[in-house]
Amino acid sequence: MSGNFNKEDAGFVAALAALEDHVSGMIVAGQTAYRIQGEVRAAYQAGSSSVFQAKIDEWIIAYNNVMIKFQDLGEKTGVVGQAIDAGEQDAGVTGANWDTNDGIYDILAPAGG
């Protein structure tokens, strides 16, 4: 592994893929909870259902809060990717502007090389 990092780095790509898989599973769980909530409200009219329905409501509220955090993480991950792209582009432009006749080359070149 080199000391360079970019968006195609295996660890970065694997982390993004794992995050996307996890979010997909969370979306399915949320859809299931919403479906169950609707079914319970429609079919379970006894007074005892209020406790059960309150627990479903609590789960959905917690789920929505977690999904907001995951969406925020996804947006920040995208910003990180954009920053990496910009850094790579800036480094390429800067490197292309260096010339063997300027002082930077002399400073970076090994002595006697």
Side-chain angles (χ1 to χ4, degrees):
M1 180 174 147
S2 71
N4 298 327
F5 176 78
N6 62 45
K7 286 190 337 186
E8 287 75 33
D9 181 76
F12 189 71
V13 170
L16 287 178
L19 180 62
E20 288 175 10
D21 286 346
H22 189 72
V23 170
S24 294
M26 289 176 63
I27 289 170
V28 170
Q31 291 170 340
T32 302
Y34 279 113
R35 180 183 50 78
I36 290 170
Q37 180 187 43
E39 290 173 0
V40 167
R41 287 184 192 225
Y44 192 15
Q45 298 296 321
S48 60
S49 75
S50 62
V51 173
F52 183 64
Q53 289 180 36
K55 292 296 182 183
I56 293 173
D57 292 344
E58 286 177 23
W59 188 93
I60 288 175
I61 289 168
Y63 165 82
N64 287 333
N65 290 333
V66 169
M67 284 303 292
I68 288 168
K69 298 292 185 190
F70 267 96
Q71 289 170 348
D72 186 48
L73 177 61
E75 289 171 10
K76 287 181 176 154
T77 303
V79 170
V80 169
Q82 292 170 358
I84 291 169
D85 286 345
E88 288 177 358
Q89 184 177 8
D90 290 347
V93 168
T94 301
N97 289 330
W98 286 356
D99 189 321
T100 57
N101 295 324
D102 63 21
I104 294 175
Y105 178 79
D106 293 336
I107 292 169
L108 297 176

